[in-house]
Amino acid sequence: MVRITSATLIAFAAGAIGAPQGTVTPRQSPGGCECAVKLDASTNVFEKYTLHANSFYRSEVEAAAAQMSGEAAEAALRVADIGTFLWADTIANIDRIEPALQDVPCDEIFGLVVYDLPGRDCAAKASNGELPVGAIDRYKTEFIDEIAALIKRYPNQAFALVIEPDSLPNLITNIDLQSCQDSAAGYREGVAYAFEKLSLPNVVMYLDAGHGGWLGWPDNLEPGAKELANAYKAAGSPSQVRGIAINVSGWNQWDMTPGEFANDPDGQWNEAENEKAFLELFSPLLEQNGMPGNAIVDTGRSGNPGGRLEWGAWCNVVDAGFGPRPTSDVDSQWADAFVWVKPGGESDGTSDSSAVRYDSFCGRPDAFQPSPEAGTWNQAYFEMLIENANPAI
């Protein structure tokens, strides 16, 4: 006699029992679409779909709110309702995805960051990944293939993917570092493989392109556009690649004029003084090199400029605030939407100088201290983001 348990019933509902070996049985999340989703990546899908407020970040924010009181706690709970991307930044953290898919309505799109290249973030210690240089086979089989298989199990759910933050831009500006030279081949092969395998009907993809203070300099614009476009073409120019993601985990302003660093001694040499100007310079070059130039812009922590001492500062910037909310109502021919890619409150890196992953940028005067390891919750920083939010939460 077979004993039927609640777990067995869930397995039946998920299609895990009785399916031929090697087949992919679709799963239906409660509230999901009745039919398979087919996204047209030649259009702006954010005009149809709202970015989903994922349950993983919601749980972090609700736990933070429980440590607060009064209006601050109420504001924190409002943050939980704002659409934010989930980060798959290790093989183990792929397990975060499926539980978070169980409450996604049909009119919302699930944001996912794909971030685990071998030798990841070759120019910054704080966000070094788990896979060493050369582990491209593990990246393919244990990471990308697993994410692709999971997405295939949810054909009735729309996905927006940000592909590998800080990867290809590092090959433009930090290729003098031995660590980036060693990582280059794996980055290019890995991004192309991710493009190829994740180009699924219910997916749109945006490749990370840094920001105006990174690739916006005259010497970086053309090489940057070629590097990104080459990865796209190496994958066979997949139909579900929509364009690029900019300002991911960043602090830059959308259209502030003059820009935050326009008056620096070298500011006159960079016309990409804000992210809107960056797109106007960079997106046409992408298209000239054969890649779509549409973009999403991370505005999650751009609400209160002025904390950075230099444009290149990236770690837990002091005095930052939550920025403009996710929306497709953006005044730009290139920008699809403002989105929140970086979950506000999760650290960029530790300020503990004795830590293995300590990066000096996280110990500078314009970096919030103390701060825990990258990806770890920082309660005080989250409360600061709420206090300095613009618009107010």
Side-chain angles (χ1 to χ4, degrees):
M1 179 180 293
V2 177
R3 180 171 176 265
I4 303 297
T5 65
S6 59
T8 307
L9 291 173
I10 291 173
F12 269 115
I17 295 177
Q21 188 174 5
T23 64
V24 175
T25 302
R27 301 182 183 182
Q28 177 66 47
S29 58
C33 301
E34 294 181 359
C35 302
V37 170
K38 296 187 183 299
L39 299 179
D40 181 358
S42 69
T43 66
N44 179 8
V45 301
F46 287 95
E47 292 180 345
K48 178 179 180 181
Y49 294 93
T50 301
L51 181 62
H52 179 63
N54 73 77
S55 59
F56 182 83
Y57 184 54
R58 179 182 295 278
S59 68
E60 290 185 309
V61 171
E62 289 176 346
Q67 302 179 49
M68 304 162 68
S69 61
E71 173 55 33
E74 294 176 7
L77 291 175
R78 290 193 288 272
V79 171
D81 292 329
I82 297 172
T84 307
F85 277 64
L86 179 69
W87 288 58
D89 53 3
T90 64
I91 292 167
N93 283 346
I94 295 173
D95 289 343
R96 294 177 177 177
I97 302 171
E98 191 158 20
L101 294 175
Q102 303 311 307
D103 65 346
V104 185
C106 186
D107 61 350
E108 296 186 0
I109 191 165
F110 188 86
L112 180 66
V113 179
V114 177
Y115 183 51
D116 201 24
L117 278 170
R120 187 180 73 192
D121 217 349
C122 59
K125 294 181 180 179
S127 47
N128 287 163
E130 62 181 347
L131 298 178
V133 171
I136 189 66
D137 289 341
R138 289 193 64 198
Y139 176 76
K140 292 177 178 180
T141 60
E142 298 180 41
F143 188 65
I144 295 300
D145 288 355
E146 291 298 318
I147 293 175
L150 190 155
I151 292 174
K152 288 177 182 178
R153 292 199 297 270
Y154 286 85
N156 294 13
Q157 175 60 57
F159 291 83
L161 308 185
V162 169
I163 303 298
E164 295 296 348
D166 297 346
S167 56
L168 299 185
N170 267 320
L171 303 187
I172 303 304
T173 60
N174 293 306
I175 199 61
D176 58 319
L177 299 177
Q178 187 63 50
S179 56
C180 290
Q181 294 173 26
D182 294 342
S183 298
Y187 281 13
R188 291 169 178 140
E189 183 177 351
V191 168
Y193 187 83
F195 271 167
E196 180 183 356
K197 293 298 180 179
L198 298 173
S199 187
L200 302 168
N202 56 329
V203 169
V204 290
M205 287 181 281
Y206 297 86
L207 176 59
D208 182 79
H211 55 75
W214 192 345
L215 294 187
W217 299 93
D219 288 347
N220 299 336
L221 283 166
E222 181 67 35
K226 287 183 177 179
E227 184 72 59
L228 270 63
N230 284 345
Y232 169 70
K233 289 182 287 189
S237 302
S239 63
Q240 300 310 107
V241 175
R242 172 67 178 167
I244 57 175
I246 62 171
N247 205 40
V248 171
S249 301
W251 321 90
N252 290 349
Q253 301 299 292
W254 167 242
D255 59 0
M256 180 179 177
T257 306
E260 187 176 354
F261 295 96
N263 294 322
D264 276 13
D266 59 353
Q268 61 180 313
W269 307 114
N270 189 339
E271 296 181 12
E273 61 180 345
N274 55 54
E275 294 303 279
K276 183 177 182 180
F278 175 48
L279 283 185
E280 290 171 351
L281 292 166
F282 194 68
S283 291
L285 292 175
L286 281 174
E287 295 208 336
Q288 289 173 25
N289 283 277
M291 178 177 171
N294 311 290
I296 52 175
V297 186
D298 187 358
T299 58
R301 301 187 299 178
S302 63
N304 190 44
R308 289 178 292 178
L309 297 179
E310 62 178 80
W311 214 344
W314 54 267
C315 190
N316 302 317
V317 171
V318 297
D319 299 328
F322 283 117
R325 312 300 181 260
T327 179
S328 62
D329 185 14
V330 182
D331 181 24
S332 169
Q333 72 176 100
W334 300 109
D336 284 347
F338 294 158
V339 294
W340 284 16
V341 180
K342 172 72 177 184
E346 294 184 5
S347 177
D348 295 314
T350 181
S351 58
D352 179 1
S353 60
S354 67
V356 172
R357 298 207 308 171
Y358 172 73
D359 190 290
S360 62
F361 272 94
C362 301
R364 294 187 176 190
D366 56 0
F368 189 95
Q369 301 175 49
S371 288
E373 290 280 358
T376 305
W377 191 258
N378 189 335
Q379 180 72 17
Y381 198 84
F382 174 72
E383 294 181 13
M384 181 195 72
L385 290 173
I386 291 177
E387 181 179 355
N388 295 331
N390 183 23
I393 296 293

